[in-house]
Amino acid sequence: MKTIIEPNIINLVKKLELNSDIGFGKFMMPIMLTCEYKDGAWGDLHLGPYRKFEIDPSSKVLHYGQEIFEGLKAYKNEKDELFLFRPEKNAQRFNRSADRMAMPNFPEEKFVEGVALMAAYSRQIIPRRLGESLYLRPFMFANEVGLGIAVSNNYLFTIIASPSGAYFSSDSIKVFVERTSSRAAAGGTGFAKTGGNYAAGLLSSIKCKEAGCNQVLWLDAAEKKYIEEMSGMNFFAIINGELHTPQLTNTILEGVTRDSILELARSLGYKTVEEKLPINELLKLVKEKKCTEAFVCGTASVIVPIGSFHEENGTVYKLADDEGKISLILKDKLLRIQAGLEISPVPTWIHKIPKIDF
């Protein structure tokens, strides 16, 4: 597998101009990386201009949803140093998703090489302010033509990127407790990062918005009793000074940020607990002020405090510490580690990207 880099991409990047308010995922880098899977093997990596796909109307992805994706970031500090944060974990999760969706694995070392190349050629556009980054979106989909329900023989792997700021515009968020609909059931695709999981949550997102909330909190499909995760993030609560999060099951996405927070918190002396977390018990602890704060976490959002939980009947449970004292300590520490400004508790977390002279 060779890596082919088109010479004109340098000029494309140099011409890119961004507004001061970059938001999240609004502006695309004018370059992209692609790799095709045909005849049982991956072809060459190709870094070229950002372009539209020409896709046959009968391509399997459009009918049977065979697709997966990932999300990770590249960080640049004031020294103009560029870093990836635990990209091998994203590569591993990508292939776990591929296994579940009956898709071919993509070589992990080439996954890391691909995101590093995208970041290296985007260096001059990546913002330096703490909390801003280059969001990288690797994805793969089935593009074999034909309407037969069967595993595709052809796939396209692609990486696009977007200079991005904060995912949420507010300092804390309101969470809608979803007690009727389900996002993922045991034995399904809940642990895989595939678009169908997110599509299944869109209807509830309408209810969430109508209730004046920012994110949906999902419960287990079987009993509607235990907290699982948000629509696109993992969940944490501070209970009696301890860091609690739902234990992983095959219905919960194994977040890289989630895992990093657990290790970071332990290195800072906090006790961490991974166990089943009943929603009614949590809300009771919020009322008793024993659960003082809660937060969501993910690659896009990093860490954002939860201000309140909202029921569909209008009941509101407000957190005693809605600004998130402990969560913001963890967030600041994590952001500084990701930007290479502080020593990581695990040295292998940080992947420094060599500078490419244009």
Side-chain angles (χ1 to χ4, degrees):
M1 183 186 288
K2 301 194 300 289
T3 301
I4 300 168
I5 301 174
E6 291 192 23
N8 62 324
I9 64 170
I10 295 173
N11 290 329
L12 291 175
V13 173
K14 286 181 177 179
K15 291 177 182 177
L16 181 64
E17 295 183 3
L18 299 176
N19 296 337
S20 56
D21 180 20
I22 56 176
F24 180 84
K26 295 194 299 184
F27 299 96
M28 294 297 120
M29 289 298 299
I31 60 175
M32 64 191 291
L33 184 140
T34 57
C35 187
E36 290 188 272
Y37 182 90
K38 291 181 179 179
D39 301 320
W42 287 103
D44 296 329
L45 292 179
H46 185 272
L47 185 61
Y50 186 96
R51 59 182 174 83
K52 295 182 179 179
F53 292 135
E54 288 189 7
I55 186 166
D56 192 285
S58 68
S59 292
K60 289 187 182 294
V61 66
L62 299 178
H63 302 272
Y64 309 120
Q66 216 181 353
E67 66 81 37
I68 58 174
F69 67 97
E70 265 301 323
L72 65 161
K73 291 178 177 178
Y75 306 85
K76 186 169 69 173
N77 60 28
E78 293 177 353
K79 301 176 185 177
D80 206 37
E81 295 173 318
L82 193 58
F83 302 94
L84 293 172
F85 182 72
R86 307 185 75 182
E88 74 289 344
K89 294 286 287 184
N90 295 93
Q92 292 161 9
R93 188 172 66 181
F94 191 78
N95 283 335
R96 288 198 299 273
S97 297
D99 289 339
R100 181 61 185 87
M101 300 302 290
M103 302 169 79
N105 277 206
F106 192 79
E108 290 180 15
E109 69 279 4
K110 290 298 179 181
F111 180 103
V112 175
E113 178 186 332
V115 292
L117 267 177
M118 282 289 292
Y121 278 89
S122 304
R123 176 187 290 269
Q124 69 184 68
I125 301 299
I126 301 175
R128 290 185 174 88
R129 287 179 293 189
L130 200 63
E132 296 184 337
S133 60
L134 179 74
Y135 183 78
L136 295 146
R137 172 56 62 88
F139 62 99
M140 176 167 62
F141 63 89
N143 60 354
E144 182 181 352
V145 173
L147 296 180
I149 302 177
V151 172
S152 177
N153 291 307
N154 301 335
Y155 299 88
L156 183 64
F157 172 84
T158 305
I159 304 175
I160 57 177
S162 172
S164 294
Y167 189 83
F168 293 109
S169 58
S170 57
D171 293 331
S172 65
I173 62 170
K174 298 176 181 178
V175 167
F176 178 81
V177 180
E178 176 55 88
R179 291 185 180 268
T180 54
S181 295
S182 299
R183 172 192 168 274
T189 61
F191 71 92
K193 205 163 175 65
T194 182
N197 292 340
Y198 299 83
L202 293 178
L203 184 60
S204 292
S205 73
I206 296 173
K207 289 196 298 181
C208 173
K209 186 175 180 180
E210 289 174 346
C213 296
N214 309 94
Q215 272 283 302
V216 175
L217 177 65
W218 294 99
L219 308 179
D220 71 289
E223 299 181 76
K224 301 291 193 303
K225 178 179 179 181
Y226 298 102
I227 294 171
E228 293 212 322
E229 61 180 333
M230 318 304 289
S231 290
M233 300 150 206
N234 291 118
F235 174 84
F236 278 88
I238 308 299
I239 301 173
N240 296 323
E242 299 173 350
L243 202 62
H244 288 246
T245 192
Q247 66 187 45
L248 292 175
T249 67
N250 64 10
T251 61
I252 297 176
L253 186 70
E254 186 177 345
V256 177
T257 306
R258 173 191 180 276
D259 181 71
S260 304
I261 287 170
L262 288 169
E263 290 212 40
L264 179 59
R266 288 191 286 265
S267 75
L268 295 174
Y270 294 104
K271 181 180 178 181
T272 62
V273 181
E274 298 177 74
E275 62 182 7
K276 285 189 173 183
L277 197 54
I279 180 62
N280 291 340
E281 181 180 326
L282 178 80
L283 296 177
K284 179 174 178 287
L285 292 171
V286 171
K287 286 179 67 176
E288 295 172 350
K289 300 192 185 311
K290 293 177 182 177
C291 174
T292 52
E293 61 179 290
F295 62 89
V296 298
C297 71
T299 297
S301 60
V302 190
I303 293 175
V304 181
I306 294 172
S308 52
F309 296 97
H310 297 244
E311 299 275 18
E312 192 166 1
N313 65 9
T315 304
V316 177
Y317 299 85
K318 188 172 174 57
L319 276 299
D321 183 1
D322 59 355
E323 294 181 352
K325 178 182 175 183
I326 294 176
S327 58
L328 293 184
I329 289 172
L330 293 169
K331 178 180 180 178
D332 182 68
K333 190 83 172 175
L334 183 60
L335 285 173
R336 293 182 65 80
I337 289 171
Q338 290 171 333
L341 301 174
E342 285 197 22
I343 301 298
S344 167
V346 183
T348 54
W349 280 3
I350 302 301
H351 180 107
K352 190 171 183 179
I353 301 174
K355 190 170 185 177
I356 295 175
D357 293 322
F358 290 168

